[in-house]
Amino acid sequence: MRRAVALCALLLACRKTVAEPPRAEPRAEAPPVDPCAEAPVPQDMSEAQARVAARLRCGDEAGALAIRRELLRRAPDSTARAFALAELAHLSERVAEADAAAQALPLTPPTRAAYALTRDVLAYLDRPDPARGAALARDVAAALALAVDDPYVLSLALRFTAVHDADPAERAAPICRDRADPILERPRDGAAALAAACARIAFLSGEPADGRRRYARALELAAADDAPGLALGWAAAELAAGNLGEAARLYDLAGRAPSARQRYAAALGLGVARARLRDRAAAEQAYRAAAALRGVPDRPAPPDRLPPELLFNLGSLLADAPEAAARDEARALLRAYAAHPGADDRRRLRARQLLRELGG
């Protein structure tokens, strides 16, 4: 018995002397990365492009423009980067800032010319001016003669022709066939913009099937963050062609664009498509989303804070609403549109007609 007790005591003592294995310390989780925090511009081009999109999603258009400027500083002979700077400046309404930045950089003459041409063409597309158009047409022709196979210059020329020429197919379609298509066989930087420009020309030429094929190719070639912006053009083409369901689908895609201004245009277009599909609830939801993107989340929307296109579209939509409060909002919106200096004559007449029907 004593021997058994002694043996048990010895075993217990041995157990106490065996070292327990060290316990693993819990791993500290890496802090989440704030996409809106300030950070150096990456050396890798794809990472830098992603940073531009992140800054836009954070509402920091100035920060996105600063990244574009830095990328152009690193490659002052890159017409592609000059195009990107001018395009973002136009989109963010910061052209004066971009002009000053481009002026301060030691750009090569072709790059400086590419920046100026992009700026001028985009401004013209927003507000076509026949007096300016004639001079700009000569600049575009000269650029085409010098930049034989530059996708960005070709895309600018085609976008300009689509607005400036009475029959864009006459000059633009051969450019797509003879100069753009060979480039698109071996895609490179700028190919997505070029494919989209030719897609629009195809729609304007009465060739929607070819236009759809080219727009689909443009989305294939585009970077993930650029695809929604290109979808805006396709959606507008389908809307004009009366293909309302496809237009709505594409406007939904465009609503994922990094830029708030592009998302606003997508929401506005989606509202138009849904209204024409007689889906009043979805159309109103889209217009309210567009208003929120312009910093007006209130309901009823204060007319003095909405742009004219929303005054008219939302007011027209609510004019036949069953709810009295919605019709009251429609009256306020349509009155504001009828008095707006930016209203066009046809819509102003329609707004006044709706106001008479609403009794006020």
Side-chain angles (χ1 to χ4, degrees):
M1 182 66 178
R2 288 178 180 175
R3 187 175 296 174
V5 171
L7 182 59
C8 287
L10 180 62
L11 289 173
L12 288 171
C14 290
R15 285 185 61 187
K16 289 179 181 178
T17 59
V18 174
E20 293 184 2
R23 295 181 180 178
E25 293 294 329
R27 292 182 179 179
E29 293 186 4
V33 176
D34 181 4
C36 299
E38 294 290 338
V41 180
Q43 292 297 322
D44 180 79
M45 189 60 184
S46 61
E47 291 180 11
Q49 299 282 33
R51 185 71 54 80
V52 170
R55 302 312 299 177
L56 289 173
R57 288 192 174 93
C58 294
D60 182 10
E61 293 176 336
L65 197 67
I67 296 173
R68 290 280 192 219
R69 179 196 179 282
E70 170 60 17
L71 293 176
L72 183 55
R73 186 195 66 79
R74 294 176 184 176
D77 60 344
S78 171
T79 57
R81 297 188 187 188
F83 176 93
L85 178 66
E87 187 176 50
L88 180 56
H90 177 80
L91 181 64
S92 60
E93 298 178 355
R94 293 175 177 273
V95 175
E97 292 177 38
D99 282 352
Q103 187 63 34
L105 294 175
L107 305 181
T108 62
T111 304
R112 196 173 298 283
Y115 171 83
L117 184 68
T118 306
R119 177 200 59 205
D120 294 345
V121 167
L122 294 180
Y124 176 84
L125 296 181
D126 259 6
R127 296 180 181 84
D129 175 7
R132 176 69 184 119
L136 192 53
R138 290 192 292 271
D139 294 341
V140 169
L144 279 174
L146 292 174
V148 177
D149 61 350
D150 187 313
Y152 290 108
V153 172
L154 286 174
S155 67
L156 280 173
L158 292 165
R159 291 167 70 181
F160 173 78
T161 302
V163 172
H164 181 259
D165 285 19
D167 182 10
E170 184 178 346
R171 285 198 306 154
I175 292 175
C176 288
R177 183 185 63 246
D178 300 334
R179 296 176 65 169
D181 285 347
I183 292 173
L184 295 174
E185 289 176 3
R186 296 182 296 278
R188 61 178 190 269
D189 199 17
L194 180 56
C198 284
R200 185 179 183 194
I201 293 297
F203 267 96
L204 290 173
S205 303
E207 300 288 344
D210 187 42
R212 291 181 183 112
R213 177 185 66 81
R214 290 180 180 278
Y215 268 126
R217 180 61 173 153
L219 294 187
E220 288 176 5
L221 294 169
D225 288 317
D226 295 334
L230 291 177
L232 266 177
W234 190 356
E238 296 290 5
L239 186 66
N243 194 0
L244 302 178
E246 183 65 2
R249 182 189 74 82
L250 290 163
Y251 278 126
D252 269 328
L253 171 59
R256 304 170 202 166
S259 164
R261 285 177 173 81
Q262 288 177 320
R263 295 197 301 274
Y264 167 79
L268 187 67
L270 179 60
V272 173
R274 289 299 179 193
R276 293 182 185 176
L277 287 165
R278 302 188 182 281
D279 188 347
R280 198 176 71 81
E284 181 179 352
Q285 183 180 11
Y287 288 145
R288 300 286 185 191
L293 285 164
R294 295 299 295 260
V296 188
D298 310 320
R299 187 182 301 199
D304 60 329
R305 295 180 56 196
L306 289 181
E309 64 273 8
L310 261 184
L311 289 172
F312 180 82
N313 287 1
L314 183 56
S316 300
L317 183 74
L318 297 177
D320 64 347
E323 304 88 359
R327 294 195 300 276
D328 288 343
E329 185 178 5
R331 286 188 190 91
L333 295 171
L334 291 170
R335 285 193 200 105
Y337 183 79
H340 200 287
D344 69 68
D345 292 338
R346 182 179 60 84
R347 288 186 172 184
R348 182 180 280 112
L349 288 172
R350 177 58 180 159
R352 288 172 177 165
Q353 179 186 358
L354 289 171
L355 283 169
R356 285 195 297 272
E357 293 172 4
L358 286 166

